[in-house]
Amino acid sequence: MSDVKTVTAISRSEDPSIASHELRQQLSDSDISFVLFYCSSIYPLDALALQMTSAFSGIDVVGCTTAGEITPKGYEQHSIIAIGFSSKYFAISAQIVESMEKFSLIDAQETVNKLTEACYLKKLTPIKSNSFILTLLDGLSSDEEQFLVTLNSASAGIPHFGGSAGDDIHLAKTHVFYQGSFFQNAAIVIMVNTKCAFEVFSCNHIKEPISKVVVTAAHAESRTVYELNAEPAALEYARLLNVKVEDLSPAVFALNPLAVKVGSQYYIRAIQKVNEVDHSLTFYCAVDVGIVLSTVEMDDIFSTLNGTLSRMVSTYGEPDLVLTCDCFLRRLEIEQRGLLSQAKALQERYNISGFNTYGEHIDGTHLNQTFTGVFIARGDG
């Protein structure tokens, strides 16, 4: 394990003690000083917190719950993956924001300043041009958009990506982990200062719009749309797809997304669920009265991503790690289309690790149904 930069570990044990021990064994290199983990929500989280803290005593550990885990060997479920980062190549600092709702510009500036100072004191490499920010947010919070905009305004142009925690599509409780405890309604902001060349990126696979609908009644704070085209939202959406409203499900949402046009680009506004009482739709991303949504035709799910990653290999050389926040709706699409073997080949080729999210973040913007992450090169920057 000489010259280790990053190591990805996995445990499929559902026992917190065994899982934590297995991860620690795989991340035994003495240079590892920071561990990022992603876990299924099936674990008893209080017990897991105790075991992870014990197993990784003396090492900074942060993480979150997921809607699925991703390793270079393929998609996982009901597992924990952990990525260890070597102090020879990475100076990493993390801060928790316990209330996303109350996060102000002053809070954002203080958070970024603390992270910058902590990384600077490790004297690894200059902060500017050698750092990126990673965010992990409560995936069932409705404050993600405002939080990300506020953070971005204080980040001084440092590239930023991240993902919103999941809970295996139960839509009940999502958690982030910081210094020994799991939190709800919270965010973790991580600054990664590195000697490695890297690039933060985001890909979607929207091909073209098909038909338009207008949001005519909505509650922005809860991301609930009551009407599309002045009709009950779920009924109108089902009509557009020519399916029964009772057949609407995450699997249907994954293959038939709605998107909003911002500038010249389309961005998906993913549907979370149908509310049966009033046939409204709750979304994972911001929606409001008056916005125009389009049904869209989707392209090959791997085409843009493969092109992006191969370009990065040409630019930076082979990847040491592609750390990803990959929307769980992409995973559902891949499963439904029978493309798991192709996904596994891509994950292995580019050494992809990460988790399936309820939303992705890129430079202050909250996205859905994207593959967003950072390419970290094997060679130095």
Side-chain angles (χ1 to χ4, degrees):
M1 292 182 71
S2 61
D3 202 35
V4 164
K5 290 182 172 69
T6 67
V7 182
T8 296
I10 180 168
S11 175
R12 298 177 184 88
S13 172
E14 295 183 13
D15 181 294
S17 177
I18 295 171
S20 300
H21 181 67
E22 288 180 350
L23 294 172
R24 188 68 182 97
Q25 283 187 315
Q26 293 168 63
L27 300 177
S28 60
D29 191 278
S30 60
D31 292 324
I32 289 174
S33 61
F34 187 92
V35 169
L36 176 65
F37 79 88
Y38 301 117
C39 67
S40 167
S41 64
I42 64 163
Y43 289 91
L45 296 184
D46 288 345
L48 181 62
L50 284 172
Q51 295 296 332
M52 287 293 287
T53 302
S54 174
F56 290 97
S57 177
I59 296 175
D60 288 337
V61 181
V62 302
C64 69
T65 56
T66 76
E69 304 79 55
I70 305 166
T71 78
K73 300 297 182 183
Y75 284 122
E76 294 283 344
Q77 278 188 300
H78 301 166
S79 72
I80 308 179
I81 74 152
I83 302 119
F85 294 83
S86 167
S87 58
K88 289 183 179 179
Y89 294 92
F90 299 91
I92 305 177
S93 179
Q95 290 282 323
I96 190 165
V97 176
E98 291 194 42
S99 173
M100 289 167 59
E101 182 183 3
K102 297 176 182 176
F103 189 64
S104 68
L105 180 56
I106 291 173
D107 295 330
Q109 290 168 336
E110 287 180 350
T111 299
V112 172
N113 288 345
K114 286 179 181 177
L115 295 170
T116 302
E117 183 177 359
C119 288
Y120 174 78
L121 289 173
K122 295 176 184 177
K123 299 189 182 303
L124 183 75
T125 188
I127 302 297
K128 189 173 174 60
S129 304
N130 297 295
S131 304
F132 61 87
I133 290 172
L134 167 63
T135 44
L136 302 175
L137 308 184
D138 183 322
L140 295 177
S141 165
S142 58
D143 299 307
E144 290 156 293
E145 282 83 12
Q146 188 56 49
F147 178 90
L148 292 170
V149 167
T150 304
L151 178 65
N152 192 59
S153 66
S155 63
I158 297 171
H160 157 232
F161 82 101
S164 299
D167 66 346
D168 297 289
I169 325 182
H170 295 306
L171 306 179
K173 293 179 179 179
T174 59
H175 295 80
V176 296
F177 178 90
Y178 178 81
Q179 288 192 350
S181 299
F182 282 96
F183 296 83
Q184 287 180 265
N185 304 312
I188 300 172
V189 185
I190 305 158
M191 182 174 285
V192 180
N193 177 232
T194 180
K195 289 182 177 180
C196 302
F198 68 86
E199 184 176 329
V200 169
F201 67 97
S202 183
C203 297
N204 68 45
H205 60 296
I206 298 171
K207 186 174 183 180
E208 59 187 7
I210 302 171
S211 57
K212 295 179 180 179
V213 291
V214 179
V215 177
T216 48
H219 183 253
E221 285 74 17
S222 63
R223 299 172 176 165
T224 301
V225 172
Y226 295 101
E227 291 181 2
L228 293 171
N229 293 341
E231 297 289 341
L235 298 180
E236 182 67 0
Y237 175 66
R239 185 192 67 78
L240 287 169
L241 305 185
N242 196 27
V243 301
K244 296 177 181 177
V245 69
E246 54 267 27
D247 292 335
L248 295 178
S249 68
V252 173
F253 305 150
L255 297 181
N256 302 278
L258 295 172
V260 62
K261 190 175 185 181
V262 180
S264 60
Q265 300 293 316
Y266 280 89
Y267 297 95
I268 289 171
R269 290 290 181 261
I271 299 168
Q272 184 185 105
K273 61 182 177 179
V274 175
N275 302 302
E276 294 181 7
V277 173
D278 56 6
H279 286 126
S280 62
L281 295 171
T282 298
F283 284 70
Y284 281 105
C285 229
V287 286
D288 207 346
V289 174
I291 69 167
V292 177
L293 296 170
S294 298
T295 57
V296 289
E297 181 183 351
M298 303 300 276
D299 212 337
D300 180 296
I301 195 165
F302 301 121
S303 178
T304 305
L305 175 58
N306 219 342
T308 299
L309 293 174
S310 62
R311 173 189 63 77
M312 291 184 196
V313 169
S314 298
T315 303
Y316 306 108
E318 290 297 320
D320 186 79
L321 171 70
V322 174
L323 182 63
T324 181
C325 301
D326 184 19
C327 184
F328 85 95
L329 291 165
R330 286 173 48 89
R331 177 177 180 149
L332 288 182
E333 178 179 346
I334 286 166
E335 290 172 347
Q336 289 182 87
R337 296 193 190 282
L339 301 173
L340 283 170
S341 61
Q342 291 96 313
K344 181 179 178 180
L346 195 73
Q347 288 155 355
E348 192 167 18
R349 164 67 186 89
Y350 294 106
N351 205 36
I352 296 171
S353 295
F355 76 111
N356 294 120
T357 71
Y358 282 176
E360 305 81 61
H361 325 142
I362 187 83
D363 294 331
T365 302
H366 185 218
L367 303 171
N368 290 138
Q369 222 152 326
T370 70
F371 184 106
T372 295
V374 61
F375 179 106
I376 298 174
R378 194 170 294 166
D380 298 357

